[in-house]
Amino acid sequence: MKILSLLLFITLSFSLSAQNDGFSIVLHGGAGYITPENLSESKQIAYQSSLSNALALGTQILERGGTSEEAVITVIIFLENDTLFNAGRGAVLTHDNKVSHDASIMNGSDLNAGAIAGSSRIKNPIRGAAAVKDFSEHVFLSGNGAEEFAELQSLEMVPPDYFILQSRLDQLDKILKNENKSSGYILDPIVGNGKFGTVGCVALDTDGNITAATSTGGMMNKKYGRIGDSPMIGAGTYANNKTCGVSCTGHGEYFIRVGVAKEISDQIQFGQVPLKDAVHYTISESLNNLNGKGGVIAIDSLGEIVIEFNTPGMFRAWQKAGEEPQIQMFK
């Protein structure tokens, strides 16, 4: 009997150890009208390279036993610093030629979260969101207050002009000319492309902890201090070790109305629905019923990765422990 118990203990211990050896990571760089026709070959190569490098940075951290939070922040910083994406440097511009960054991060282990909105001087907005999570009694800070708090935390600050590219100024100028002709509010953040270039990352580490984060410049030509879903916990970002981690990209107004990230988690928690089915329902039913466009990346507590979008394409990359990295842009 003692031998049988010992064998059972050894088997159980091995099983638990094997389960905890795995990790998963997935990232996105925006969803929208991303097609081979809309992207030159050189652009496709550039995006593939950037997504691959970002994924490799996160994977290396997880492979050496680093935390999901460390991996996610590292990936987001890389993407914020890459002018290909609508986050950090190179983000889209507001109606009055300014940048306005939003970012959020959430830990699934304790449901701790932090977010900032309307920042124009924090070099890496995701660091601002993480600082709010770690050092503030609040969850969500905005504008000058977010920047003041970031300075108190000794985060790197830069002048707003650091983020502004001539190509973005040209895009906004083209939109404003079209807007004046039509008297309409043009929503596409990139002229002639219609790409929502928000960046996000979700990771599950070998300790079973999930972290999700999202960062964006918002919507090109946004007015009146508009804030989208990216910094809103439960709308654009959510993480819970018991269920899943989610990061969203798309037309934020619809993601806010649905509460996309939390709805996915709730289906798992309260309906015992598999992650794949939960994501599919939220995109194909809840979001589509409002004619909302975009996509999500998600990882559940078992390390399953799900990506779904209702646009022609989505910049995305993912990897599981022991498997090859995957990078895709089109459907």
Side-chain angles (χ1 to χ4, degrees), residues 261-310:
K262 186 62 160 57
E263 179 176 284
I264 292 169
S265 175
D266 284 349
Q267 289 182 70
I268 298 172
Q269 183 171 0
F270 303 115
Q272 303 299 306
V273 177
L275 178 64
K276 184 176 181 180
D277 293 343
V279 170
H280 181 68
Y281 175 83
T282 296
I283 296 294
S284 65
E285 296 291 335
S286 299
L287 201 59
N288 272 349
N289 286 345
L290 297 177
N291 200 31
K293 300 298 182 183
V296 305
I297 56 173
I299 296 176
D300 67 14
S301 58
L302 301 177
E304 184 68 22
I305 296 173
V306 174
I307 304 168
E308 187 161 338
F309 49 96
N310 61 6

Side-chain angles (χ1 to χ4, degrees), residues 178-205:
N178 290 332
E179 184 182 55
N180 291 334
K181 290 177 183 178
S182 65
S183 298
Y185 181 56
I186 296 175
L187 295 172
D188 287 348
I190 294 185
V191 177
N193 187 328
K195 177 178 69 64
F196 301 94
T198 295
V199 304
C201 184
V202 184
L204 170 74
D205 60 33

Side-chain angles (χ1 to χ4, degrees), residues 6-295:
L6 180 60
L7 288 174
L8 183 61
F9 174 77
I10 292 173
T11 301
L12 180 60
S13 298
F14 177 79
S15 175
L16 290 172
S17 175
Q19 182 179 348
N20 289 339
D21 282 343
F23 65 82
S24 297
I25 183 169
V26 59
L27 62 93
H28 70 75
Y33 293 94
I34 300 164
T35 66
E37 296 75 26
N38 286 339
L39 282 180
S40 66
E41 184 176 349
S42 62
K43 275 287 189 182
Q44 291 182 37
I45 293 172
Y47 276 110
Q48 286 179 329
S49 176
S50 184
L51 293 169
S52 177
N53 290 336
L55 182 65
L57 287 172
T59 299
Q60 289 165 9
I61 290 170
L62 296 171
E63 283 178 335
R64 61 172 171 77
T67 66
S68 57
E69 179 175 343
E70 183 185 1
V72 162
I73 290 176
T74 299
V75 167
I76 297 291
I77 287 174
F78 178 88
L79 296 173
E80 287 177 340
N81 291 340
D82 190 328
T83 57
L84 287 172
F85 302 100
N86 174 22
R89 188 164 186 265
V92 299
L93 304 177
T94 66
H95 183 72
D96 51 357
N97 280 352
K98 296 179 181 178
V99 292
S100 181
H101 297 129
D102 306 330
S104 63
I105 185 169
M106 185 170 186
N107 285 344
S109 59
D110 56 6
L111 305 188
N112 197 11
I116 63 166
S119 165
S120 62
R121 296 194 301 117
I122 304 172
K123 182 178 181 181
N124 290 109
I126 193 61
R127 287 198 185 277
V132 173
K133 176 181 70 65
D134 293 336
F135 305 113
S136 171
E137 61 183 314
H138 308 300
V139 171
F140 200 163
L141 301 180
S142 66
N144 293 335
E147 293 175 349
E148 180 182 354
F149 180 79
E151 288 180 314
L152 291 174
Q153 304 307 315
S154 299
L155 298 188
E156 186 173 359
M157 310 296 287
V158 294
D161 287 350
Y162 164 82
F163 299 106
I164 299 176
L165 303 183
Q166 184 59 48
S167 59
R168 293 298 196 192
L169 290 168
D170 294 341
Q171 288 166 2
L172 180 61
D173 182 61
K174 193 170 183 179
I175 284 179
L176 293 176
K177 287 178 181 177
N178 290 332
E179 184 182 55
N180 291 334
K181 290 177 183 178
S182 65
S183 298
Y185 181 56
I186 296 175
L187 295 172
D188 287 348
I190 294 185
V191 177
N193 187 328
K195 177 178 69 64
F196 301 94
T198 295
V199 304
C201 184
V202 184
L204 170 74
D205 60 33
T206 54
D207 290 326
N209 293 321
I210 301 173
T211 302
T214 312
S215 180
T216 189
M219 186 168 281
M220 178 70 90
N221 191 34
K222 61 185 178 181
K223 305 172 184 177
Y224 316 120
R226 179 262 187 190
I227 298 171
D229 66 303
S230 295
M232 294 190 183
I233 302 302
T237 304
Y238 193 76
N240 186 336
N241 283 2
K242 295 178 181 178
T243 56
C244 63
V246 181
S247 174
C248 305
T249 177
H251 194 158
E253 279 70 10
Y254 297 99
F255 283 75
I256 294 170
R257 294 172 193 173
V258 172
V260 165
K262 186 62 160 57
E263 179 176 284
I264 292 169
S265 175
D266 284 349
Q267 289 182 70
I268 298 172
Q269 183 171 0
F270 303 115
Q272 303 299 306
V273 177
L275 178 64
K276 184 176 181 180
D277 293 343
V279 170
H280 181 68
Y281 175 83
T282 296
I283 296 294
S284 65
E285 296 291 335
S286 299
L287 201 59
N288 272 349
N289 286 345
L290 297 177
N291 200 31
K293 300 298 182 183

